[in-house]
Amino acid sequence: MKGNQHEIAIHQRQVLLKARNMNWIGKLTGLIKDKPTFIAVGVRHLPGENGLIALLQKEGYKVDPVEK
């Protein structure tokens, strides 16, 4: 891909990730409201203001990383 096409592809991925995360957050909060829950997702869904970590925290959930 060249220049502008590459930037468009990056933007499309970001829009898709945000849309998926916003869709998931509604479903996830219904699944996890009553008990601690383990959720596994691809790494790109986690960071940023529209990432699942921030979205769950905005809903009032405590998010802890899994450690060895």
Side-chain angles (χ1 to χ4, degrees):
M1 279 186 214
K2 294 185 180 182
N4 196 31
Q5 289 177 329
H6 181 70
E7 291 175 23
I8 291 171
I10 289 171
H11 177 72
Q12 287 174 329
R13 282 194 299 270
Q14 290 170 341
V15 169
L16 179 61
L17 279 172
K18 180 180 178 182
R20 283 186 181 172
N21 288 350
M22 298 306 272
N23 184 43
W24 282 351
I25 202 68
K27 294 175 182 179
L28 291 175
T29 55
L31 293 171
I32 66 177
K33 66 180 177 182
D34 296 325
K35 60 185 174 192
T37 307
F38 175 83
I39 301 168
V41 298
V43 68
R44 289 188 180 194
H45 292 282
L46 298 176
E49 67 183 50
N50 294 308
L52 291 175
I53 292 172
L55 293 173
L56 286 167
Q57 289 172 334
K58 286 178 189 175
E59 293 290 323
Y61 290 93
K62 181 180 177 203
V63 180
D64 293 319
V66 175
E67 298 179 20
K68 279 187 164 182

